[in-house]
Amino acid sequence: MANEQVLTAEQVVDNARRYLVGEDIEFVQRAYDFAKEAHREQYRKSGEPYIIHPIQVAGILVDLDMDPETIAAGFLHDVVEDTDVTLEDIKAAFNDEVAMLVDGVTKLGKIKYKSKEEQQAENHRKMFVAMAQDMRVILIKLADRLHNMRTLKHLPQEKQRRISNETLEIFAPLAHRLGISKIKWELEDTALRYLNPQQYYRIVNLMKKKRAEREEYLDGVINEVRDKVNEVSIKAEISGRPKHIYSIYRKMALQNKQFNEIYDLLAVRIIVSSIKDCYAVLGIIHTCWKPMPGRFKDYIAMPKPNMYQSLHTTVIGPKGDPLEVQIRTVEMHQIAEYGIAAHWAYKEGKVANEQASFEEKLTWFREILEFQNESTNAEEFMESLKFDLFSDMVYIFTPKGDVIELPAGSVPIDFSYRIHSEIGNKTIGAKVNGKMVTLDYRLKTGDIIEILTSKHSYGPSQDWLKLAQTSQARNKIRQFFKKQRREENIEKGRELVEKEIRNLEFDLKEVLVSDNIKRVAEKFNFSHEDDMYAAVGYNGITAAQVANRLTEKWRKKRDQEQQEVTLQEITREPKRMGPSKRRDSGVVVQGVDNMLIRLSKCCNPVPGDEIVGFITKGRGVSVHRADCTNVHTDEAENRLIPVEWETDINSGKEFNVEIEISGFDRRGLLNEVLQAVNETKTNISAVSGRSDRNKMATIHMSISIHNINHLHKVVERIKQIRDIYSVRRIMQ
C-alpha cells in the first residue's frame, strides 16, 4: 500500500474493475459522483479539494478487494458529518446497507459534550458498537485513519501528536487484533515519525547504512535455502522480510537494546503451497542451521485470535548472526497481510457457511455489545475496551487441552467467567498446574487451570469486582448482584443519592421531582429510575455522578448568582485594597484606582504578556493572559476590563510559570534539564516527570522568572539539550 501516490477517482474505479463488473462498477461510480457534488466547495488543510480524501479512502478499500457497498461508503464516509446530506438522503440514493456503514463511521459532531475527551470517547463507542454489528465499519475507519496519517504534515504540531497518540492507542492495536498487518505497520511507523521524530529518523539512517550489508547476507541465505528446497521438489517463494521501524523502536526502548542487538533485523519469509510443505521446509531450515532455544513458535497448530497462521523460528545463520525465518502457505500469507479484510474480500457467490464460520472466529468481538450495555459512560467503555482487546494476551489451557485467550494480568475469576457465568458464580477456588492458587493469581501463558466449584456457593463477593481484570467478568459479577439484591440495591442507591444532594446543599423536594429523575435516568441509559438507583447500590455508577446530573440546573443558577457583580461594586472595596496590592501584582487597571488586583494562577501571566482583567465576586480583578481559555467564554466577555503592566515594575520581582518539556526518555535527561535551568540562574519551585510506553518523557516544571524575555532565555537553553523535542508554556 504505497503511501506517496495520490490516486484519481478514475484510477480507483479502474482498479475496482480487477474484480468488480457491470452494475457494481456503476454503483461505485455513482457513489463518487454523489460525494464529489456534496464536497464541491470544501477544501482540506493542505489546500487541496476535500474530495481527494474520500477518493484515497475508497482506493485503500479497493486494494483490500472490498465489496461495492463498502467502497461506496468509503467515497461517502464524510458527507453526513461535513455536509448537509442526511442518512435518509443516502438511503434514498443508494441503500440501507451503505447508509448503515456511513453512519457507523460518522462522528457525533453536533452533540455538545463537557470535554473533548468525553466527545472522543463517545465517538469511539459509537464506532465500535457499529463495528460489532458489521465489521466493514472498522475497515472504512482504518482506511480513513491511514490516509489522514499520510497527510498529517499539514496539521499543527499539537494535533499531529494528539492524532498520532490516538492512532497508537486505538487504531494500530485494532488493526493488529483484526490481523491487518499491512495497515498496522504503516499506522505505527507514521505515528512514531510525529511522536518521536529524532528516534524515527535515527533508526531510518541506521537501516540505510547497513542495507547493502544486510541485502548481501540475505541473498546468500535465500540462494542456499532455494537450493535445498529445490532438492526435495517443493515450490516456494522466498524473500527477505522488511523490518518495520516502530517494531525496532519498541524493542530498543522496552528491552534497552542497541540497534545492532535486535535479532530479527535479518529475516526470511518462505511461502509454500501446503501445510505439509511448511513443516518439510522447517526441517530443512533446522538441518542447515542450529535453531535458537525457545525461539520456535507454531502458529499453524495454534493460530492467533486474529486468525494469523505461520511457523516462526530463529536460527544461528551462516555468519553466526541470529536469523528469523517465517514459513506459511499462500492463504496464510493473505490472511497475515489483510486479516479480517481477506475474509470480507468481495467474492461472487460467497458461500453463507464460509461467512458463518468466519464470524464464529470473531466471537470475542461480540463482547463489545455486552460492554456497551453495561457501561454507563463512554470513558469507562473505552478503558474496558483498551484492556480487553488491546493489551497483550496470555493463552491458558483447560484440563481438556482447549486454549482460552485472556488479556495479560487476568486471574482465575476472569477465566471462570470466560467459560460460563454459572461456573464463575459458583467458583470457590482454582488449581494452576496441579497446585492450589489464590483467586488473585496472575495467569501466565501455558498455565493449565482447573476451576473448583460448589453448588452450595453463595455466589461472588463484592471483593471480586476489585480482583477481576476483564470487563466481561466484572459485568457478570455486577449482573449477579443486580438480580440477587435488586430491592436492597434500589433502597441503598436512593439513600446514597439523597445524601450526596444534601451534601451539595440543595433541597431534596425541589431536585427529586419525577421529570428530573426520569431525564437523568435516560442520560445514563436506564429505562426506569429504579434501575438507576439499583446501579448506584451495586457500584455500577457512583452516587456523586447521579447527584451532579440531578442538580446541574440548580448549580448553574447558583454559580450565576455568585458571579453577578459589577465594576462599581468592586471599586467600593475598603482602602486596604489600594496601592500596596497593586504594586504587589505589578498591574494597574486603566482609569480606576484603589482596587484589589491579583495574578491568575490558571495561566500565570508575566511582564511582557498581553493581559486582560476579569471582574470577580469579592476578590477584585483577576489578571489573565489574553489567550487564556478561561476568559474566552460568552459569560466572561461581559466582565473583562482593560489592564496593563506598570511601567516601573520592580525588575527583581519573580513570577511563577509552568512549562512542559517533551523528549526521548534516556538516562540522565532530567539531570541535564535541571542543570540547564540552573545555568540561567532561575529558581525551580517544583518538578515532576513521567515516561510512556513509547519512551516519550514529559517533564513538568514550575519556575520563577522576571519577565517574558527571561522565560524565552530559559526555553531556548532547554531546547539545546540532546533528545529534547519541545518546550512549551502551559496553563494549570
Side-chain angles (χ1 to χ4, degrees):
M1 240 174 247
N3 59 2
E4 296 298 330
Q5 182 186 7
V6 177
L7 298 172
T8 64
E10 291 73 19
Q11 288 173 317
V12 172
V13 175
D14 283 345
N15 290 345
R17 293 183 201 279
R18 176 170 47 84
Y19 63 98
L20 297 180
V21 294
E23 292 181 359
D24 293 335
I25 291 293
E26 188 274 330
F27 187 81
V28 168
Q29 179 69 51
R30 194 152 50 85
Y32 163 68
D33 294 338
F34 189 101
K36 183 180 179 183
E37 177 62 23
H39 293 298
R40 186 175 65 252
E41 297 178 357
Q42 293 181 327
Y43 295 88
R44 303 196 83 203
K45 294 286 186 185
S46 61
E48 299 172 321
Y50 192 90
I51 189 62
I52 287 178
H53 171 62
I55 291 172
Q56 307 316 303
V57 171
I60 293 168
L61 294 169
V62 168
D63 283 346
L64 297 174
D65 288 358
M66 298 308 295
D67 59 281
E69 285 76 18
T70 308
I71 299 168
F75 277 124
L76 300 165
H77 75 277
D78 274 337
V79 294
V80 173
E81 184 179 336
D82 294 336
T83 75
D84 294 331
V85 174
T86 66
L87 284 174
E88 294 303 319
D89 294 334
I90 292 178
K91 283 182 186 178
F94 299 94
N95 55 42
D96 289 351
E97 194 173 349
V98 173
M100 179 273 296
L101 293 173
V102 172
D103 184 41
V105 293
T106 299
K107 294 178 185 173
L108 304 167
K110 295 177 182 177
I111 302 174
K112 289 188 177 180
Y113 295 94
K114 290 181 181 177
S115 64
K116 286 184 179 179
E117 291 76 14
E118 183 183 1
Q119 181 170 9
Q120 184 185 49
E122 286 288 1
N123 284 329
H124 286 151
R125 169 150 70 172
K126 179 176 186 285
M127 178 185 71
F128 280 112
V129 172
M131 172 185 167
Q133 294 164 342
D134 193 316
M135 285 290 182
R136 290 174 296 176
V137 169
I138 201 57
L139 296 176
I140 299 167
K141 191 61 187 177
L142 285 173
D144 172 53
R145 177 52 59 110
L146 182 59
H147 183 249
N148 282 334
M149 291 300 293
R150 289 174 179 175
T151 57
L152 209 55
K153 61 185 178 183
H154 300 292
L155 296 180
Q157 188 178 25
E158 185 182 344
K159 274 194 173 183
Q160 289 175 349
R161 291 181 58 79
R162 177 176 60 77
I163 293 170
S164 296
N165 258 321
E166 183 187 33
T167 298
L168 280 184
E169 282 191 0
I170 302 291
F171 293 99
L174 187 55
H176 172 67
R177 283 289 270 160
L178 298 176
I180 315 174
S181 61
K182 207 169 183 70
I183 289 179
K184 175 206 173 204
W185 289 122
E186 187 176 342
L187 288 176
E188 289 182 335
D189 285 357
T190 311
L192 179 62
R193 189 168 79 195
Y194 292 102
L195 287 173
N196 200 335
Q198 187 164 339
Q199 283 294 84
Y200 175 87
Y201 289 110
R202 176 174 170 240
I203 292 169
V204 169
N205 290 331
L206 287 169
M207 291 177 75
K208 282 180 181 176
K209 286 178 185 176
K210 303 233 176 185
R211 179 175 293 168
E213 181 185 331
R214 284 201 313 274
E215 287 178 353
E216 182 184 349
Y217 177 86
L218 286 173
D219 286 343
V221 170
I222 289 170
N223 289 332
E224 187 172 348
V225 172
R226 185 174 285 117
D227 291 342
K228 296 288 185 181
V229 168
N230 288 338
E231 287 177 11
V232 293
S233 302
I234 292 177
K235 291 183 178 180
E237 179 186 327
I238 308 170
S239 61
R241 180 175 71 85
K243 190 65 184 173
H244 296 278
I245 298 166
Y246 183 75
S247 63
I248 296 173
Y249 166 76
R250 288 267 295 168
K251 282 191 169 73
M252 290 172 67
L254 296 179
Q255 299 174 19
N256 201 22
K257 291 185 176 181
Q258 295 300 313
F259 181 81
N260 56 7
E261 295 178 299
I262 305 296
Y263 280 169
D264 46 3
L265 281 174
L266 299 172
V268 172
R269 180 176 290 146
I270 305 171
I271 299 175
V272 295
S273 56
S274 69
I275 294 177
K276 179 181 71 173
D277 289 345
C278 288
Y279 289 99
V281 170
L282 176 68
I284 292 170
I285 298 297
H286 284 178
T287 303
C288 291
W289 302 290
K290 287 185 179 181
M292 292 180 65
R295 300 281 294 176
F296 169 65
K297 293 174 183 175
D298 187 344
Y299 293 119
I300 294 179
M302 287 181 59
K304 290 184 178 182
N306 60 13
M307 298 163 289
Y308 176 90
Q309 288 184 290
S310 186
L311 296 177
H312 289 196
T313 186
T314 302
V315 297
I316 303 299
K319 294 182 180 179
D321 295 321
L323 171 70
E324 185 186 88
V325 182
Q326 295 180 349
I327 309 165
R328 61 180 68 146
T329 65
V330 175
E331 293 80 8
M332 291 174 191
H333 182 63
Q334 187 75 2
I335 291 172
E337 292 290 293
Y338 297 103
I340 184 179
H343 291 269
W344 270 111
Y346 184 70
K347 302 174 191 172
E348 286 194 90
K350 183 182 281 189
V351 181
N353 289 342
E354 176 188 339
Q355 190 60 35
S357 172
F358 159 63
E359 291 285 352
E360 285 177 12
K361 294 177 183 177
L362 287 166
T363 51
W364 56 268
F365 213 87
R366 294 206 188 94
E367 292 172 6
I368 288 178
L369 288 177
E370 186 178 339
F371 301 162
Q372 155 71 8
N373 292 333
E374 292 297 323
S375 298
T376 55
N377 61 69
E379 286 92 341
E380 178 189 340
F381 172 74
M382 285 310 301
E383 285 306 311
S384 299
L385 195 71
K386 285 178 186 178
F387 180 82
D388 287 9
L389 300 185
F390 302 152
S391 61
D392 293 333
M393 310 306 289
V394 292
Y395 302 93
I396 315 301
F397 290 92
T398 68
K400 293 183 179 179
D402 296 327
V403 179
I404 302 295
E405 176 203 31
L406 289 168
S410 295
V411 299
I413 293 170
D414 299 301
F415 178 88
S416 64
Y417 279 104
R418 178 61 58 90
I419 301 299
H420 196 278
S421 300
E422 281 305 305
I423 291 177
N425 291 339
K426 297 295 181 183
T427 295
I428 58 170
K431 285 184 178 179
V432 173
N433 304 324
K435 295 181 180 179
M436 288 293 296
V437 296
T438 57
L439 291 180
D440 62 354
Y441 170 85
R442 295 297 174 98
L443 296 169
K444 300 183 292 293
T445 293
D447 281 345
I448 302 172
I449 182 169
E450 178 186 355
I451 297 297
L452 307 178
T453 61
S454 170
K455 61 182 179 181
H456 301 299
S457 168
Y458 290 105
S461 73
Q462 286 282 356
D463 290 338
W464 286 16
L465 286 170
K466 298 175 184 176
L467 295 179
Q469 300 298 307
T470 62
S471 292
Q472 183 188 32
R474 287 197 297 269
N475 288 337
K476 288 181 176 178
I477 294 167
R478 290 191 185 110
Q479 286 172 8
F480 174 85
F481 291 124
K482 195 190 303 184
K483 291 175 183 176
Q484 296 294 315
R485 305 173 184 172
R486 179 172 170 77
E487 292 303 320
E488 180 184 330
N489 283 328
I490 291 172
E491 188 60 32
K492 180 182 176 183
R494 184 178 280 110
E495 289 176 1
L496 290 171
V497 170
E498 289 178 357
K499 181 180 178 182
E500 282 292 332
I501 294 172
R502 281 194 291 268
N503 288 342
L504 293 170
E505 298 180 356
F506 290 108
D507 185 354
L508 289 177
K509 291 181 181 179
E510 188 178 12
V511 173
L512 295 178
V513 294
S514 59
D515 287 347
N516 192 33
I517 298 172
K518 183 180 178 183
R519 177 185 62 82
V520 172
E522 288 174 353
K523 279 192 175 182
F524 284 108
N525 297 320
F526 294 112
S527 57
H528 192 274
E529 64 180 80
D530 283 351
D531 297 330
M532 179 178 71
Y533 285 131
V536 175
Y538 63 76
N539 295 325
I541 53 176
T542 66
Q545 286 176 297
V546 176
N548 284 333
R549 285 288 178 92
L550 285 167
T551 60
E552 58 188 349
K553 181 174 74 174
W554 289 271
R555 282 187 290 112
K556 284 180 183 178
K557 184 179 177 182
R558 184 161 68 185
D559 290 345
Q560 288 173 356
E561 289 173 352
Q562 289 176 347
Q563 291 171 354
E564 285 176 0
V565 65
T566 66
L567 179 59
Q568 184 179 10
E569 288 174 321
I570 289 180
T571 55
R572 290 175 186 159
E573 295 285 350
K575 292 282 185 182
R576 60 182 176 79
M577 301 188 325
S580 63
K581 295 290 184 182
R582 186 177 69 249
R583 283 197 297 271
D584 284 348
S585 66
V587 175
V588 293
V589 178
Q590 295 177 8
V592 181
D593 202 358
N594 191 30
M595 182 179 297
L596 174 63
I597 301 172
R598 61 187 181 86
L599 300 179
S600 171
K601 291 184 179 180
C602 65
C603 56
N604 290 323
V606 299
D609 284 331
E610 289 188 29
I611 53 176
V612 294
F614 179 80
I615 303 169
T616 66
K617 174 72 172 178
R619 292 180 297 162
V621 173
S622 175
V623 178
H624 294 254
R625 280 163 47 191
D627 60 352
C628 179
T629 56
N630 288 332
V631 295
H632 286 288
T633 64
D634 292 339
E635 184 185 343
E637 291 284 334
N638 301 323
R639 299 166 62 198
L640 299 181
I641 58 172
V643 294
E644 61 185 22
W645 296 106
E646 287 183 327
T647 54
D648 60 342
I649 185 170
N650 179 7
S651 60
K653 181 173 174 57
E654 293 187 334
F655 298 83
N656 193 55
V657 169
E658 302 284 334
I659 58 174
E660 181 184 87
I661 305 155
S662 298
F664 175 65
D665 185 20
R666 58 172 172 81
R667 188 185 299 276
L669 180 69
L670 179 59
N671 284 337
E672 288 183 33
V673 171
L674 294 174
Q675 184 178 348
V677 176
N678 284 331
E679 286 174 6
T680 65
K681 297 180 179 178
T682 303
N683 290 327
I684 301 172
S685 54
V687 64
S688 63
R690 59 182 172 80
S691 176
D692 63 18
R693 63 178 183 176
N694 299 313
K695 298 289 283 183
M696 175 63 74
T698 303
I699 302 170
H700 285 100
M701 189 176 289
S702 182
I703 59 177
S704 300
I705 57 103
H706 302 306
N707 51 43
I708 199 72
N709 293 331
H710 183 184
L711 177 61
H712 289 163
K713 180 181 175 183
V714 175
V715 170
E716 289 306 313
R717 177 63 188 88
I718 295 173
K719 283 183 176 179
Q720 293 172 13
I721 299 172
R722 180 172 61 89
D723 291 329
I724 292 296
Y725 306 137
S726 67
V727 183
R728 68 186 187 96
R729 185 174 170 188
I730 60 173
M731 298 185 187
Q732 290 182 336

